[in-house]
Amino acid sequence: MKKILLLIFILPFSLQIKAQSEWEIRVMPQVVFGTRNTIQRPNDEGTRIYFNNDFKRKNDAVFSPRFELEYSNKRHHAIATAALLTDKFEGIAKENILYDGVVFNSGSNIDAVYRFNTYRLGYRYRLVDRPKFIFELGATILLREAFVSLEDNIRKSKFSNVGVAPLLSYRVEWKVTEPMSLLSYGDAFAVKAGRAEDIFAGAKYKFNQNWSAMLGYRLLEGGSDSDKVYTMATFHFISLGVGFKF
């Protein structure tokens, strides 16, 4: 009998929580254009390589998928993100290149690969929740899985980097009409040794209670300057996304 009474007491609260919470998955098949990609390894002795100037991108535009899963409950929002990016270059070395302890001779045919995949867990709190305007602020933990490799017909060198970085997170949305809104969201942080910004700005159209679409511009920029390595990159995205709430 006590179990039945406890169930009767808890059930209304559990139904209320379920009614106030929702999940949304967003898939973004983005196209990316890189304007700057520089690396020097080691920072004090290596050759500073300007990929966009010293070599040619194998593809002018690169496919860069992004996946987001968001859980919302009232003003609380938890977000999981996976963003994948690989850029490739080729060309002839104009001078001897010292990269990560390996020397590539001048005149060598070089193939280079830049990879920067990130996996994130974030939390944002909705500070402002009005019918026409939303503002959220929070923090994100970013796990990066990155490498830069160079190879010619004889030798290959690859510098990999896996690490964790804390970022500040925000989201702002202005509902222009009932189905359409303008929004911006992203993660960013800066310290003496480096910085990172991943910012989206665009429009969202809501088809119904479940389906929506997004279109806009995304900036990915950042790098580090330490004793071990110097790296700095800038990428511009055309970001198209589809969202489904359940």
Side-chain angles (χ1 to χ4, degrees):
M1 184 65 179
K2 291 182 179 180
K3 292 183 179 180
I4 296 175
L5 291 175
L6 183 62
L7 181 62
I8 294 173
F9 178 77
I10 294 176
L11 186 59
F13 291 97
S14 62
L15 292 175
Q16 182 181 11
I17 292 173
K18 184 177 181 181
Q20 294 170 345
S21 64
E22 62 183 7
W23 292 85
E24 182 177 14
I25 185 169
R26 295 182 288 269
V27 180
M28 302 179 181
Q30 305 174 123
V31 177
V32 58
F33 305 87
T35 57
R36 177 176 59 168
N37 200 329
T38 306
I39 189 169
Q40 183 176 349
R41 164 75 178 175
N43 197 353
D44 55 348
E45 298 178 353
T47 304
R48 184 157 294 192
I49 306 169
Y50 302 89
F51 284 111
N52 289 79
N53 296 328
D54 299 338
F55 301 100
K56 179 183 178 182
R57 296 181 79 197
K58 288 190 175 182
N59 299 288
D60 293 332
V62 176
F63 175 65
S64 176
R66 182 185 180 100
F67 308 92
E68 298 177 352
L69 178 64
E70 180 172 351
Y71 172 76
S72 305
N73 190 328
K74 294 184 178 180
R75 292 177 177 262
H76 304 280
H77 298 260
I79 308 100
T81 303
L84 313 178
L85 172 60
T86 300
D87 208 0
K88 298 181 179 180
F89 301 85
E90 62 183 356
I92 298 175
K94 301 175 183 178
E95 59 178 348
N96 290 344
I97 297 175
L98 173 60
Y99 176 66
D100 199 25
V102 178
V103 176
F104 297 87
N105 296 325
S106 176
S108 301
N109 289 310
I110 302 293
D111 285 306
V113 178
Y114 171 91
R115 176 166 295 171
F116 190 76
N117 295 338
T118 61
Y119 310 93
R120 313 175 204 183
L121 286 176
Y123 168 81
R124 290 195 300 260
Y125 181 77
R126 184 164 295 182
L127 294 169
V128 180
D129 190 3
R130 298 175 181 173
K132 290 285 187 178
F133 184 75
I134 291 170
F135 176 64
E136 300 170 2
L137 193 63
T140 296
I141 295 297
L142 178 146
L143 172 65
R144 67 178 177 274
E145 178 259 321
F147 72 77
V148 177
S149 67
L150 269 69
E151 67 176 305
D152 59 15
N153 296 329
I154 301 174
R155 56 192 66 82
K156 179 177 181 179
S157 182
K158 179 179 178 180
F159 172 66
S160 300
N161 180 263
V162 176
V164 177
L167 304 171
L168 295 176
S169 180
Y170 81 95
R171 178 186 176 93
V172 58
E173 183 173 351
W174 174 47
K175 296 181 181 180
V176 182
T177 63
E178 179 59 32
M180 192 183 80
S181 59
L182 302 177
L183 75 155
S184 176
Y185 71 95
D187 304 310
F189 198 68
V191 293
K192 184 178 180 181
R195 66 179 187 267
E197 304 93 35
D198 184 349
I199 305 297
F200 172 87
K204 176 181 177 181
Y205 189 87
K206 190 175 180 181
F207 297 104
N208 51 46
Q209 293 297 321
N210 300 106
W211 291 96
S212 63
M214 295 168 54
L215 176 63
Y217 163 78
R218 183 183 302 279
L219 170 67
L220 178 64
E221 193 268 351
S224 64
D225 187 359
S226 66
D227 294 336
K228 294 182 178 181
V229 63
Y230 172 88
T231 177
M232 191 62 63
T234 303
F235 293 94
H236 305 278
F237 296 75
I238 298 174
S239 187
L240 172 66
V242 176
F244 177 71
K245 287 186 177 181
F246 56 97

